[in-house]
């Protein structure tokens, strides 16, 4: 199956990076100003703020929205990049016990716009069946916002949003575009923001979506053990914490095991039968009989059992399932399941579909239905908010999903293909830290069952502090009002220490 450009940009875990550039030194002050990089790029405007209100949790919340810039400096103090953030801080006297939450999206190459509209005080509709990219509407209050119980900061990594490198492409790749480099400079950005805004003493939380979820445990551990900033909690939204299920698909049972429950969940939802009990039955079959029969290879009896059971669970033609040996490849499935309707499902929510403009082509000829549809509404909404509402007007393009960052990202192998190790270490170091991992059932880019197996394998003494919650929907399940509301309730329990 031909690789689709967009499908790799926003959510799939990038296989690892070996090595990396030295940690970057930020501006440390002093008598002499640090030397600036020579650049023909127009200077960014000064930080800008605006007062706003939103109705959240049935109450009017007054807050200040700010768009600002943090410098990244090299070992000699030269500015090599500028990172743009958007913050929402509730007005009134500073409460020392009020949390601050720092959020990242994924990709690599995704700006923080998606979490901004999921958790922030304003929202725009995107990512659901029937959404139209041309139906741009003004931002509206977000009832699922977290702002009533935590201040919020959304970070755009270098090359995403308006954030930019000030050095050449080769040095940019070396300094920013890899697993270790990413954590090195972003952890310092978090530290610098907390110092700049005098929030080091506040309770601190991290939230990351997709590759941002992969960042989460590593970022928390780096902050905790290197920069001396301990976080109270980490929320990982639709993460892929290990690449183990992406390798050896012809031999290993993991790739097929990770995806089957999401495919079955989508069928249950279409039939109106999606419940925790029906999902539990799917999970039990997947880690039991299904895994055993997969490992029996070409055994005829095992193949018969797989064909019968998997066809019934997924609604797929038995001939197709048998031909696949019971191992359902994602892109092939997304065409097959809606072939009779001439539509394509999205890997980010297989029940969100689009017309297949080339139904007779041997391979899918268009990008993912969700990714192609969300660029326009989210980009227009965040740029309008930043430039018109806040009044921060840079002479620059906004990159919601940067194909260039994704193209340049250093893919390697080894320890950097997973974040499970740092997840285990960060909860081991701090016995009070809590981690909430959340997924949408229908997500095939970062399947919920991968996290189920990871959480279930965590040592019992930490297991109660690392929890998993799943909701109807896909990668961006929060685009559904009921799932967004349930997510908010679960997060509030974590912040309340319950």
């Amino acid at each position: 199956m031909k690789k689709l450009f967009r499908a790799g940009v926003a959510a799939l875990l990038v296989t690892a990076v070996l090595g990396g550039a030295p940690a970057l030194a930020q501006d440390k002050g002093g008598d002499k100003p640090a030397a600036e990089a020579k650049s023909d790029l127009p200077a960014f405007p000064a930080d800008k703020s605006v007062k706003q209100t939103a109705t959240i949790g049935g109450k009017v919340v007054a807050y200040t929205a700010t768009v600002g810039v943090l410098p990244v400096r090299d070992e000699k103090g030269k500015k090599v990049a500028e990172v743009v953030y958007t913050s929402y801080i509730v007005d009134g006297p500073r409460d020392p016990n009020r949390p601050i939450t720092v959020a990242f999206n994924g990709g690599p190459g995704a700006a923080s716009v998606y979490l901004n509209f999921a958790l922030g005080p304003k929202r725009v509709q995107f990512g659901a069946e029937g959404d139209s990219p041309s139906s741009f509407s003004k931002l509206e209050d977000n009832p699922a916002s977290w702002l009533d119980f935590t201040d919020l900061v959304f970070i755009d990594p270098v090359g995403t949003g308006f954030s930019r490198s000030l050095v050449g492409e080769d040095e940019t790749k070396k300094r920013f575009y890899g697993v270790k480099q990413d954590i090195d400079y972003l952890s310092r950005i978090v530290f610098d923001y907390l110092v700049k805004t005098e929030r080091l003493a506040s309770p601190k939380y991290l939230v990351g979506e997709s590759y941002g979820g992969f960042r989460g445990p590593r970022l928390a551990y780096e902050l905790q053990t290197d920069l001396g900033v301990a976080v109270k909690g980490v929320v990982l939204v639709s993460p892929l914490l290990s690449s183990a299920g992406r390798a050896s698909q012809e031999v290993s049972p993991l790739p097929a095991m990770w995806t089957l429950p999401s495919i079955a969940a989508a069928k249950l939802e279409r039939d109106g039968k999606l419940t925790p009990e029906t999902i539990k039955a799917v999970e039990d079959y997947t880690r039991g009989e299904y895994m055993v029969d997969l490992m029996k290879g070409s055994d005829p009896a095992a193949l018969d059992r797989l064909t019968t059971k998997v066809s019934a669970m997924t609604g797929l033609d038995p001939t197709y399932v048998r031909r696949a040996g019971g191992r359902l490849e994602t892109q092939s499935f997304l065409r097959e399941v809606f072939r009779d309707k001439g539509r394509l499902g999205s890997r980010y929510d297989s029940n969100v579909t689009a017309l297949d403009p080339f139904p007779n082509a041997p391979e899918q000829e268009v990008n993912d239905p969700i990714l192609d549809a969300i660029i326009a509404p989210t980009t227009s909404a965040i740029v309008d908010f930043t430039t018109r509402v806040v009044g921060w007007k840079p002479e620059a393009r906004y990159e919601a999903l940067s194909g260039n960052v994704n193209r340049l990202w250093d893919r390697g192998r080894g320890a950097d293909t997973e974040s499970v190790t740092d997840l285990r270490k960060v909860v081991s170091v701090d016995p009070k830290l809590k981690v909430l991992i959340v997924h949408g059932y229908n997500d095939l880019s970062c399947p919920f069952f991968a996290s189920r197996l990871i959480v279930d394998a965590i040592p019992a003494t930490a297991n109660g502090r690392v929890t998993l919650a799943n909701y109807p929907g896909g990668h961006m399940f929060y685009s559904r009002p009921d799932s967004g509301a349930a997510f908010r309730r679960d997060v509030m329990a974590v912040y309340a220490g319950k």
Side-chain angles (χ1 to χ4, degrees):
M1 178 65 63
K2 148 170 90 173
K3 293 182 180 178
L4 302 175
F5 164 71
R6 291 285 189 192
V9 173
L12 294 181
L13 171 65
V14 170
T15 51
V17 176
L18 295 178
L24 301 178
Q26 314 297 88
D27 189 1
K28 298 179 180 178
D31 295 331
K32 295 181 180 180
E36 302 295 336
K38 292 182 178 179
S39 173
D40 293 329
L41 295 172
F44 275 152
D47 296 0
K48 198 71 180 291
S49 299
V50 64
K51 298 286 188 180
Q52 290 197 298
T53 62
T55 300
I56 305 168
K59 297 181 180 179
V60 176
V61 178
Y63 62 93
T64 299
T66 299
V67 178
V69 182
L70 292 165
V72 181
R73 300 189 183 275
D74 69 8
E75 299 79 9
K76 297 181 180 180
K78 182 179 72 173
K79 186 163 65 173
V80 292
E82 294 173 306
V83 172
V84 179
Y85 66 88
T86 302
S87 68
Y88 304 98
I89 310 297
V90 166
D91 294 340
R94 176 69 57 84
D95 179 357
N97 296 315
R98 180 168 174 78
I100 183 129
T101 299
V102 182
F104 299 86
N105 265 95
S112 62
V113 56
Y114 310 106
L115 279 182
N116 193 328
F117 291 150
L119 317 182
K122 303 293 182 179
R123 70 181 296 274
V124 66
Q125 179 58 41
F126 64 92
E129 179 75 7
D131 286 349
S132 169
S134 62
S135 298
F136 176 74
S137 59
K138 295 175 65 175
L139 293 176
E140 59 186 13
D141 289 356
N142 180 11
S145 176
W146 299 4
L147 187 59
D148 57 334
F149 60 87
T150 177
D151 291 334
L152 296 162
V153 187
F154 299 92
I155 305 290
D156 292 332
V158 172
T160 74
F162 288 117
S163 297
R164 63 192 186 186
S165 172
L166 301 176
V167 296
E169 185 174 278
D170 289 345
E171 188 175 355
T172 296
K173 179 177 179 178
K174 177 183 176 183
R175 289 190 176 277
F176 304 114
Y177 296 161
V179 176
K180 185 179 185 302
Q181 304 98 297
D182 184 71
I183 298 303
D184 284 346
Y185 88 89
L186 286 179
S187 61
R188 185 58 193 269
I189 285 293
V190 174
F191 177 85
D192 286 352
Y193 174 83
L194 295 171
V195 172
K196 176 179 179 176
T197 57
E198 301 180 346
R199 297 300 295 268
L200 273 172
S202 299
K204 295 165 285 291
Y205 292 80
L206 295 176
V207 56
E209 179 180 8
S210 195
Y211 188 84
F214 178 82
R215 281 185 180 115
R218 289 172 170 266
L219 200 57
Y221 191 65
E222 181 79 4
L223 284 166
Q224 185 186 71
T225 61
D226 187 59
L227 289 169
V229 177
V231 300
K232 288 180 67 67
V234 182
V235 181
L236 308 179
V237 183
S238 304
L240 190 63
L241 297 171
S242 171
S243 66
R246 301 297 195 204
S248 304
Q249 298 196 35
E250 296 79 12
V251 178
S252 170
L254 275 180
M257 290 175 63
W258 281 11
T259 57
L260 178 63
S262 290
I263 292 173
K267 170 68 161 52
L268 288 168
E269 182 179 79
R270 293 194 298 274
D271 293 343
K273 298 178 180 178
L274 180 62
T275 66
E277 292 74 26
T278 56
I279 286 293
K280 178 65 164 54
V282 170
E283 291 183 350
D284 290 346
Y285 168 70
T286 301
R287 67 168 100 206
E289 297 174 50
Y290 182 65
M291 180 184 69
V292 172
D293 281 343
L294 284 178
M295 295 306 293
K296 291 184 177 180
S298 57
D299 176 83
L303 184 56
D304 286 344
R305 287 192 296 270
L306 283 171
T307 299
T308 300
K309 187 72 173 180
V310 172
S311 297
M313 291 174 65
T314 63
L316 293 168
D317 187 293
T319 302
Y320 171 80
V321 174
R322 177 176 288 275
R323 188 182 304 123
R327 298 171 182 262
L328 305 180
E329 192 276 328
T330 296
Q331 290 304 135
S332 174
F333 157 73
L334 291 171
R335 294 193 84 196
E336 187 67 25
V337 67
F338 298 111
R339 186 178 293 276
D340 61 335
K341 297 180 175 63
R343 302 185 69 82
L344 297 168
S346 169
R347 69 185 302 120
Y348 300 96
D349 183 339
S350 59
N351 282 343
V352 174
T353 66
L355 176 71
D356 185 352
F358 305 101
N360 299 320
E363 295 181 340
Q364 184 174 323
E365 294 289 341
V366 293
N367 291 323
D368 187 87
I370 285 182
L371 287 191
D372 270 3
I374 66 175
I375 297 296
T378 56
T379 299
S380 293
I382 195 66
V383 173
D384 182 66
F385 171 76
T386 300
T387 60
R388 182 181 61 82
V389 178
V390 180
W392 193 80
K393 299 182 178 181
E395 296 181 54
R397 170 182 171 173
Y398 185 87
E399 295 277 2
L401 288 175
S402 172
N404 192 52
V405 172
N406 194 259
R407 175 180 63 84
L408 293 174
W409 199 265
D410 188 359
R411 293 159 169 82
R413 63 187 66 181
D416 282 339
T417 61
E418 54 85 20
S419 289
V420 181
T421 297
D422 279 2
L423 173 63
R424 290 187 175 210
K425 289 194 294 187
V426 77
V427 296
S428 173
V429 170
D430 187 343
K432 293 186 177 181
L433 184 144
K434 292 188 176 182
V435 178
L436 174 64
I437 304 172
V438 294
H439 285 270
Y441 285 118
N442 301 347
D443 185 8
L444 286 167
S445 63
C446 299
F448 77 90
F449 196 61
S451 291
R452 167 62 67 200
L453 295 177
I454 289 168
V455 170
D456 286 354
I458 287 176
T461 53
N463 190 272
R465 293 187 290 115
V466 181
T467 56
L468 175 66
N470 300 316
Y471 313 99
H475 195 71
M476 292 168 281
F477 58 84
Y478 46 72
S479 65
R480 302 189 184 193
D482 289 347
S483 293
F487 179 33
R488 170 183 153 88
R489 289 192 294 271
D490 289 341
V491 171
M492 289 180 71
V494 171
Y495 279 60
K498 298 179 181 178

